[in-house]
């Protein structure tokens, strides 16, 4: 779905952009906000990922 593709694209751009809410050059917390952004995106697209796993015949219990 377009929503999933858009969210993943925005998360990648946010991760690759060195200037964001907390700059990446700060030791630990710099990438912490990027990790939180990815976690939020993956939580938002989890239902689409489950549907994809079922379509491919994968066991969703193993991955989720």
């Amino acid at each position: 779905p377009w929503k999933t593709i858009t969210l993943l694209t925005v998360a990648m751009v946010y991760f690759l952009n060195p200037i964001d809410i907390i700059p990446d050059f700060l030791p630990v917390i710099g990438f912490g906000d990027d990790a939180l952004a990815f976690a939020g995106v993956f939580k938002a697209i989890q239902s689409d990922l489950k549907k994809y796993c079922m379509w491919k015949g994968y066991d969703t219990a193993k991955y989720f």
Side-chain angles (χ1 to χ4, degrees), residues 14-18 20 22-38:
Y14 186 78
F15 178 73
L16 294 174
N17 187 6
D20 49 19
I22 300 175
D24 293 340
F25 62 82
L26 296 174
V28 175
I29 62 172
F31 287 109
D33 68 323
D34 296 343
L36 286 174
F38 269 108

Side-chain angles (χ1 to χ4, degrees), residues 6-55:
T6 302
L7 284 173
L8 287 173
T9 303
V10 168
M12 288 299 297
V13 168
Y14 186 78
F15 178 73
L16 294 174
N17 187 6
I19 301 172
D20 49 19
I21 294 173
I22 300 175
D24 293 340
F25 62 82
L26 296 174
V28 175
I29 62 172
F31 287 109
D33 68 323
D34 296 343
L36 286 174
F38 269 108
V41 166
F42 283 121
K43 187 68 173 171
I45 66 171
Q46 186 173 11
S47 65
D48 289 335
L49 292 174
K50 284 183 181 181
K51 289 177 191 175
Y52 177 76
C53 283
M54 289 188 308
W55 177 72

